[in-house]
Amino acid sequence: MVEELLGAAAGVAAVGLVYVAAAARVVKQYERGVILRLGRLRGSVREPGFTMILPAVDRLHKVNMQIVTMPVPAQEGITRDNVTVRVDAVVYFQVVDAAAAIINVEDYRFAVSQMAQTSLRSIIGKSDLDDLLSNREKLNQGLELMLDSPAIGWGVQIDRVEIKDVSLPESMKRSMARQAEADRERRARVINADAELQASKKLAEAAHQMADAPSALQLRLLQTVMAVAAEKNSTLVLPIPVELLRFLERGAQPPQDHAARATTEPAAVPESATVDQPAAVSEPTAVEESTEPPAEPTADPPAEPPAEPPGQPPLK
């Protein structure tokens, strides 16, 4: 009798152990458990730790509550300014309502992925190329709002969305490179012109200062000569003031009043001049400075031979 009771107790204990092993579940700290009893939601969400279910009746679904990083495949689209680009992004989200994530949507991961791709293509069509390249913060916020609106009903909260890369055609890359080069060249020219303006103002101030003190110009000249000679070369450069060259040029030119008078007054020729004797110049200085030769005296025309009488042969 005692042996039968011990055997029955052992059998019950074995059945109990099997039941406990079949009904025992462990929910991890980053998970939540959703129990469906005969297909219907049973009770509240199970918290992390040890929990029991009815074998063959209850079904426990574990939902990960961690932040999920999901890459969005590259989407090709045409921007508002008619440029073809390929844009890929990354979405960070987490489940905030485990029951809604199991009941309201079939696969919340797939749903978030498809919604992210659709929203990314919509953002590409509404934006310009410059916004995609430089104003990504605003686009990220707009993309996050577009994903967060339907995801609330799925028990999912969008943490953030980041546009990861923007791929451009090679022709567009070359065009942008030329534009950037031209812009940098323009800025370099503007900076150079500004530097020339400032330098000219400083040089003008220095010129006024040296005009007040002539010795300063001489000291500056000696300093320049010393700077050139310090390089141990065989060529010595001596700067010559421009005023000295102008002075020498004015000294080399003849007086304008003498030249004008010599060209306007002809040479005086005496009345007693003949063909054999040249005319005596009354003003030797004016003749020498004149650029035109003196006028030659006119000689009398030769006498005509006498007319021969008619009837006589001509003399040979």
Side-chain angles (χ1 to χ4, degrees):
M1 187 65 183
V2 175
E3 294 178 357
E4 293 178 358
L5 291 176
L6 292 176
V12 172
V15 172
L17 291 175
V18 172
Y19 178 81
V20 170
R25 295 290 186 273
V26 176
V27 180
K28 297 180 182 179
Q29 181 65 36
Y30 56 85
E31 295 177 341
R32 298 294 183 270
V34 179
I35 297 178
L36 297 178
R37 179 170 296 176
L38 297 177
R40 299 185 64 179
L41 180 63
R42 175 59 178 159
S44 60
V45 177
R46 300 297 175 91
E47 297 296 328
F50 181 80
T51 185
M52 297 289 293
I53 64 172
L54 296 177
V57 177
D58 294 343
R59 184 180 296 273
L60 179 64
H61 296 273
K62 298 179 181 179
V63 181
N64 192 342
M65 306 296 289
Q66 293 176 320
I67 295 177
V68 180
T69 302
M70 176 181 293
V72 181
Q75 301 297 313
E76 184 173 356
I78 300 176
T79 60
R80 190 167 58 180
D81 51 354
N82 299 327
V83 179
T84 304
V85 295
R86 289 177 60 88
V87 182
D88 56 351
V90 58
V91 181
Y92 301 89
F93 67 94
Q94 68 177 135
V95 178
V96 294
D97 190 352
I102 296 297
I103 301 300
N104 296 342
V105 63
E106 180 181 1
D107 186 356
Y108 65 90
R109 289 176 179 267
F110 181 75
V112 171
S113 176
Q114 295 299 314
M115 181 60 65
Q117 295 180 29
T118 305
S119 301
L120 183 58
R121 294 177 69 89
S122 178
I123 285 293
I124 292 174
K126 294 179 180 178
S127 305
D128 295 332
L129 180 60
D130 294 337
D131 294 336
L132 290 175
L133 296 177
S134 60
N135 196 11
R136 293 189 181 182
E137 293 295 332
K138 182 179 179 181
L139 297 180
N140 292 338
Q141 294 178 1
L143 190 57
E144 181 179 349
L145 292 176
M146 294 178 66
L147 290 175
D148 197 24
S149 299
I152 293 178
W154 303 338
V156 178
Q157 180 182 359
I158 304 299
D159 187 65
R160 61 185 305 176
V161 182
E162 294 287 343
I163 295 177
K164 187 166 56 175
D165 188 21
V166 178
S167 300
L168 300 175
E170 293 297 330
S171 59
M172 182 59 63
K173 289 182 181 180
R174 290 192 295 268
S175 300
M176 294 177 65
R178 290 195 299 268
Q179 179 184 0
E181 183 179 358
D183 184 60
R184 289 183 178 275
E185 185 177 358
R186 178 186 62 83
R187 286 186 292 176
R189 291 183 178 180
V190 170
I191 293 174
N192 190 15
D194 192 11
E196 292 292 339
L197 178 60
Q198 295 179 5
S200 63
K201 290 182 179 179
K202 295 297 181 182
L203 289 175
E205 294 178 2
H208 289 299
Q209 188 69 23
M210 290 182 180
D212 296 338
S215 59
L217 181 60
Q218 187 68 21
L219 293 175
R220 182 59 182 166
L221 176 61
L222 295 177
Q223 185 180 4
T224 304
V225 173
M226 290 180 61
V228 174
E231 298 180 359
K232 297 181 180 180
N233 51 10
S234 59
T235 303
L236 182 61
V237 180
L238 293 177
I240 299 176
V242 181
E243 287 76 6
L244 180 59
L245 297 178
R246 292 177 180 175
F247 175 76
L248 296 176
E249 183 180 359
R250 287 195 301 267
Q253 294 179 356
Q256 297 181 359
D257 55 349
H258 291 284
R261 186 176 59 183
T263 55
T264 54
E265 296 181 0
V269 180
E271 296 179 357
S272 61
T274 60
V275 177
D276 298 333
Q277 184 179 358
V281 181
S282 60
E283 295 180 8
T285 305
V287 172
E288 292 179 359
E289 293 182 358
S290 175
T291 57
E292 298 180 357
E296 296 181 357
T298 57
D300 296 336
E304 296 181 359
E308 297 181 357
Q312 296 182 1
L315 297 178
K316 296 183 179 179

